[in-house]
Amino acid sequence: MTPQELIGAAEHMLRRRRSSPRQALLKRAVSTAYYAVFHAAARMAANALVGRTKASTDAWLLTYRAVQHTFVKDVMRRADVQGMHDGVRQFASIFIALQELRHLADYDPSRAFTREEAVAAVEFAERGIAALDAVPQPLRLDLAARRLFKPRP
């Protein structure tokens, strides 16, 4: 499952013929948009630290699975991380915003989403993934390490 496949799944949920999709589909689209960004971050970390050509190894999978939602959000809020590159700053703001939307979509039964909000979340995710892809290769290794390891004083 790639981030692009998740984007495609979210878009599919929003292409229903009905003029106003059910809340379950809108909320799933918002949540799936976040997961596309999250999996882009996990994939980038595993590729940077282990190597894209080793994606079938246990080391790659362990690195991919080590990425944690809250830790990444906390790292993305740090000024030193946002100052690394414009693509990192853009990705960070999108990751944080989509994670907050996902929490609303998944855990707040009183929060309703419009089709426009769901479409915007999916488009936001696409921009976030593009911003992460624009980060130069040498910075990806540093960013990946910051997402997985706590700095020591």
Side-chain angles (χ1 to χ4, degrees), residues 5-76:
E5 289 171 332
L6 288 167
I7 292 290
E11 290 173 339
H12 178 74
M13 289 177 223
L14 298 172
R15 278 196 300 263
R16 309 282 296 186
R17 298 240 183 257
R18 299 178 68 212
S19 60
S20 57
R22 294 182 180 181
Q23 279 301 303
L25 287 175
L26 294 173
K27 287 183 171 207
R28 287 306 321 142
V30 169
S31 185
T32 301
Y34 164 74
Y35 278 106
V37 171
F38 175 79
H39 284 283
R43 184 175 295 269
M44 190 276 312
N47 286 343
L49 292 169
V50 179
R52 181 182 315 265
T53 61
K54 296 185 173 125
S56 62
T57 66
D58 288 343
W60 191 92
L61 182 59
L62 284 169
T63 304
Y64 187 99
R65 297 284 317 269
V67 177
Q68 298 177 15
H69 298 267
T70 302
F71 187 70
V72 172
K73 180 183 70 176
D74 293 344
V75 168
M76 292 291 100

Side-chain angles (χ1 to χ4, degrees), residues 10 41 65 76 91 115 135-136 140:
R65 297 284 317 269
M76 292 291 100
F91 178 81
R115 176 188 214 92
V135 174
R140 290 179 186 201

Side-chain angles (χ1 to χ4, degrees), residues 121-144:
V122 174
E123 290 171 351
F124 210 31
E126 289 177 303
R127 286 199 306 274
I129 293 166
L132 186 61
D133 288 344
V135 174
Q137 197 62 39
L139 291 178
R140 290 179 186 201
L141 182 59
D142 187 37
L143 181 60

